[in-house]
Amino acid sequence: QVQLLESGGGLVEPGGSLRLSCRTSGRTSLRYAMGWFRQAPGKDREFVAGIKWRNSNTYYGDSVKGRFTISRDRDKNTMYLQMNNLKPEDTAVYYCAAAENNNIYPPRESADYDSWGQGTQITVST
């Protein structure tokens, strides 16, 4: 397993930008997939974006395509989520997650991820 720590959350105006970071406890295996999920009050955990540690192949949730960009820096053991043009419906707790597999693309189901961060709150409001 790997320990994960999210940072970068906060309050932002609609249309603004934030960047989330997820730092691992050590050098992440090239077999790992990593992803971001979010959960708003009364809603299920939602897939936001995922990335393969080895090849940087990505998936995005439909609601964030064209606005969010996921990336990883293997030397820094850190994954990022750049969020642009934020909307009030993006308000949620955002969780970093990791899964150990050797698939080409990251999984999009929360049950496929083994390690989770504690979450960071993003609030988009005037």
Side-chain angles (χ1 to χ4, degrees):
Q1 68 177 31
V2 60
Q3 293 182 336
L4 308 172
L5 179 62
E6 304 99 333
S7 62
L11 175 66
V12 65
E13 295 279 332
S17 298
L18 285 173
R19 189 178 75 161
L20 301 182
S21 298
C22 176
R23 188 164 66 90
T24 69
S25 60
R27 184 69 180 91
T28 304
S29 171
L30 292 176
R31 296 181 178 179
Y32 266 80
M34 298 188 69
W36 293 96
F37 290 79
R38 66 188 184 186
Q39 188 162 18
K43 296 184 178 180
D44 293 332
R45 191 163 40 185
E46 177 189 11
F47 174 78
V48 176
I51 189 167
K52 285 293 294 185
W53 209 246
R54 180 188 297 275
N55 57 28
S56 77
N57 284 345
T58 60
Y59 276 132
Y60 292 93
D62 290 340
S63 63
V64 306
K65 288 180 179 178
R67 299 189 297 121
F68 291 9
T69 302
I70 190 171
S71 62
R72 55 96 177 91
D73 188 329
R74 293 190 291 192
D75 292 334
K76 296 181 178 179
N77 296 327
T78 301
M79 176 179 64
Y80 305 97
L81 184 68
Q82 178 66 46
M83 303 183 291
N84 297 325
N85 191 25
L86 284 161
K87 304 175 180 179
E89 52 263 42
D90 295 318
T91 296
V93 177
Y94 283 68
Y95 297 92
C96 175
E100 187 172 5
N101 63 69
N102 58 7
N103 295 330
I104 297 175
Y105 289 93
R108 289 172 281 185
E109 297 290 338
S110 61
D112 291 326
Y113 287 84
D114 304 307
S115 301
W116 295 85
Q118 294 298 308
T120 185
Q121 176 72 48
I122 286 78
T123 302
V124 185
S125 178
T126 57

PDB file of all heavy atoms in Angstrom, residues 38 40 43 46 67 87-92 94 124:
ATOM      1  N   ARG A  38     -14.392  12.567  -6.015  1.00  0.00           N
ATOM      2  CA  ARG A  38     -14.996  13.601  -5.199  1.00  0.00           C
ATOM      3  C   ARG A  38     -16.339  13.132  -4.686  1.00  0.00           C
ATOM      4  O   ARG A  38     -16.997  12.292  -5.288  1.00  0.00           O
ATOM      5  CB  ARG A  38     -15.143  14.913  -5.972  1.00  0.00           C
ATOM      6  CG  ARG A  38     -16.121  14.860  -7.131  1.00  0.00           C
ATOM      7  CD  ARG A  38     -16.047  16.148  -7.939  1.00  0.00           C
ATOM      8  NE  ARG A  38     -17.032  16.182  -9.018  1.00  0.00           N
ATOM      9  CZ  ARG A  38     -17.093  17.134  -9.935  1.00  0.00           C
ATOM     10  NH1 ARG A  38     -16.228  18.148  -9.905  1.00  0.00           N
ATOM     11  NH2 ARG A  38     -18.028  17.084 -10.876  1.00  0.00           N
ATOM     12  N   ALA A  40     -19.832  14.909  -2.889  1.00  0.00           N
ATOM     13  CA  ALA A  40     -20.626  16.017  -2.399  1.00  0.00           C
ATOM     14  C   ALA A  40     -21.679  15.485  -1.438  1.00  0.00           C
ATOM     15  O   ALA A  40     -22.034  14.298  -1.479  1.00  0.00           O
ATOM     16  CB  ALA A  40     -21.284  16.755  -3.558  1.00  0.00           C
ATOM     17  N   LYS A  43     -24.458  12.604  -2.143  1.00  0.00           N
ATOM     18  CA  LYS A  43     -24.145  11.966  -3.413  1.00  0.00           C
ATOM     19  C   LYS A  43     -23.097  10.879  -3.236  1.00  0.00           C
ATOM     20  O   LYS A  43     -22.338  10.879  -2.264  1.00  0.00           O
ATOM     21  CB  LYS A  43     -23.646  13.000  -4.426  1.00  0.00           C
ATOM     22  CG  LYS A  43     -24.669  14.048  -4.805  1.00  0.00           C
ATOM     23  CD  LYS A  43     -24.128  14.979  -5.871  1.00  0.00           C
ATOM     24  CE  LYS A  43     -25.163  16.001  -6.290  1.00  0.00           C
ATOM     25  NZ  LYS A  43     -24.629  16.911  -7.341  1.00  0.00           N
ATOM     26  N   GLU A  46     -17.710  10.099  -6.785  1.00  0.00           N
ATOM     27  CA  GLU A  46     -17.691  10.273  -8.226  1.00  0.00           C
ATOM     28  C   GLU A  46     -16.264  10.284  -8.755  1.00  0.00           C
ATOM     29  O   GLU A  46     -15.397  10.974  -8.212  1.00  0.00           O
ATOM     30  CB  GLU A  46     -18.391  11.580  -8.614  1.00  0.00           C
ATOM     31  CG  GLU A  46     -18.361  11.906 -10.095  1.00  0.00           C
ATOM     32  CD  GLU A  46     -18.871  13.297 -10.403  1.00  0.00           C
ATOM     33  OE1 GLU A  46     -19.047  14.087  -9.456  1.00  0.00           O
ATOM     34  OE2 GLU A  46     -19.110  13.597 -11.594  1.00  0.00           O
ATOM     35  N   ARG A  67     -11.908  20.961 -18.681  1.00  0.00           N
ATOM     36  CA  ARG A  67     -11.678  21.924 -17.609  1.00  0.00           C
ATOM     37  C   ARG A  67     -10.581  21.491 -16.646  1.00  0.00           C
ATOM     38  O   ARG A  67      -9.851  22.334 -16.128  1.00  0.00           O
ATOM     39  CB  ARG A  67     -12.966  22.154 -16.819  1.00  0.00           C
ATOM     40  CG  ARG A  67     -14.106  22.714 -17.646  1.00  0.00           C
ATOM     41  CD  ARG A  67     -15.280  23.125 -16.763  1.00  0.00           C
ATOM     42  NE  ARG A  67     -15.846  21.978 -16.050  1.00  0.00           N
ATOM     43  CZ  ARG A  67     -15.923  21.892 -14.719  1.00  0.00           C
ATOM     44  NH1 ARG A  67     -15.476  22.881 -13.958  1.00  0.00           N
ATOM     45  NH2 ARG A  67     -16.469  20.817 -14.152  1.00  0.00           N
ATOM     46  N   LYS A  87     -16.942  25.477 -11.266  1.00  0.00           N
ATOM     47  CA  LYS A  87     -18.367  25.724 -11.159  1.00  0.00           C
ATOM     48  C   LYS A  87     -18.853  25.364  -9.760  1.00  0.00           C
ATOM     49  O   LYS A  87     -18.231  24.545  -9.078  1.00  0.00           O
ATOM     50  CB  LYS A  87     -19.131  24.886 -12.193  1.00  0.00           C
ATOM     51  CG  LYS A  87     -18.681  25.101 -13.627  1.00  0.00           C
ATOM     52  CD  LYS A  87     -19.403  24.147 -14.569  1.00  0.00           C
ATOM     53  CE  LYS A  87     -18.953  24.345 -16.000  1.00  0.00           C
ATOM     54  NZ  LYS A  87     -19.642  23.409 -16.928  1.00  0.00           N
ATOM     55  N   PRO A  88     -19.968  25.936  -9.331  1.00  0.00           N
ATOM     56  CA  PRO A  88     -20.488  25.577  -8.005  1.00  0.00           C
ATOM     57  C   PRO A  88     -20.712  24.079  -7.836  1.00  0.00           C
ATOM     58  O   PRO A  88     -20.517  23.557  -6.728  1.00  0.00           O
ATOM     59  CB  PRO A  88     -21.806  26.355  -7.931  1.00  0.00           C
ATOM     60  CG  PRO A  88     -21.575  27.548  -8.787  1.00  0.00           C
ATOM     61  CD  PRO A  88     -20.729  27.051  -9.925  1.00  0.00           C
ATOM     62  N   GLU A  89     -21.089  23.377  -8.896  1.00  0.00           N
ATOM     63  CA  GLU A  89     -21.313  21.942  -8.799  1.00  0.00           C
ATOM     64  C   GLU A  89     -20.031  21.141  -8.631  1.00  0.00           C
ATOM     65  O   GLU A  89     -20.080  19.928  -8.406  1.00  0.00           O
ATOM     66  CB  GLU A  89     -22.093  21.423 -10.018  1.00  0.00           C
ATOM     67  CG  GLU A  89     -21.484  21.816 -11.350  1.00  0.00           C
ATOM     68  CD  GLU A  89     -22.133  23.047 -11.951  1.00  0.00           C
ATOM     69  OE1 GLU A  89     -22.410  24.002 -11.192  1.00  0.00           O
ATOM     70  OE2 GLU A  89     -22.367  23.064 -13.166  1.00  0.00           O
ATOM     71  N   ASP A  90     -18.871  21.790  -8.731  1.00  0.00           N
ATOM     72  CA  ASP A  90     -17.612  21.135  -8.425  1.00  0.00           C
ATOM     73  C   ASP A  90     -17.336  21.073  -6.928  1.00  0.00           C
ATOM     74  O   ASP A  90     -16.366  20.432  -6.507  1.00  0.00           O
ATOM     75  CB  ASP A  90     -16.448  21.845  -9.115  1.00  0.00           C
ATOM     76  CG  ASP A  90     -16.519  21.762 -10.632  1.00  0.00           C
ATOM     77  OD1 ASP A  90     -16.848  20.675 -11.155  1.00  0.00           O
ATOM     78  OD2 ASP A  90     -16.226  22.781 -11.288  1.00  0.00           O
ATOM     79  N   THR A  91     -18.146  21.743  -6.143  1.00  0.00           N
ATOM     80  CA  THR A  91     -17.965  21.743  -4.703  1.00  0.00           C
ATOM     81  C   THR A  91     -18.087  20.327  -4.145  1.00  0.00           C
ATOM     82  O   THR A  91     -19.086  19.654  -4.363  1.00  0.00           O
ATOM     83  CB  THR A  91     -18.993  22.658  -4.028  1.00  0.00           C
ATOM     84  OG1 THR A  91     -18.778  24.004  -4.450  1.00  0.00           O
ATOM     85  CG2 THR A  91     -18.882  22.587  -2.513  1.00  0.00           C
ATOM     86  N   ALA A  92     -17.069  19.887  -3.443  1.00  0.00           N
ATOM     87  CA  ALA A  92     -17.036  18.534  -2.902  1.00  0.00           C
ATOM     88  C   ALA A  92     -15.755  18.353  -2.109  1.00  0.00           C
ATOM     89  O   ALA A  92     -14.858  19.198  -2.138  1.00  0.00           O
ATOM     90  CB  ALA A  92     -17.103  17.489  -4.024  1.00  0.00           C
ATOM     91  N   TYR A  94     -12.502  16.276  -2.213  1.00  0.00           N
ATOM     92  CA  TYR A  94     -11.737  15.586  -3.241  1.00  0.00           C
ATOM     93  C   TYR A  94     -10.737  14.640  -2.598  1.00  0.00           C
ATOM     94  O   TYR A  94     -10.000  15.024  -1.683  1.00  0.00           O
ATOM     95  CB  TYR A  94     -11.004  16.593  -4.128  1.00  0.00           C
ATOM     96  CG  TYR A  94     -11.915  17.267  -5.122  1.00  0.00           C
ATOM     97  CD1 TYR A  94     -12.896  18.154  -4.701  1.00  0.00           C
ATOM     98  CD2 TYR A  94     -11.808  17.003  -6.489  1.00  0.00           C
ATOM     99  CE1 TYR A  94     -13.752  18.756  -5.600  1.00  0.00           C
ATOM    100  CE2 TYR A  94     -12.648  17.613  -7.402  1.00  0.00           C
ATOM    101  CZ  TYR A  94     -13.620  18.489  -6.951  1.00  0.00           C
ATOM    102  OH  TYR A  94     -14.455  19.095  -7.855  1.00  0.00           O
ATOM    103  N   VAL A 124     -16.739  26.107  -4.316  1.00  0.00           N
ATOM    104  CA  VAL A 124     -16.833  27.083  -5.394  1.00  0.00           C
ATOM    105  C   VAL A 124     -18.088  27.900  -5.150  1.00  0.00           C
ATOM    106  O   VAL A 124     -19.208  27.398  -5.294  1.00  0.00           O
ATOM    107  CB  VAL A 124     -16.871  26.407  -6.767  1.00  0.00           C
ATOM    108  CG1 VAL A 124     -16.843  27.457  -7.874  1.00  0.00           C
ATOM    109  CG2 VAL A 124     -15.704  25.441  -6.914  1.00  0.00           C
TER     110      VAL A 124
END
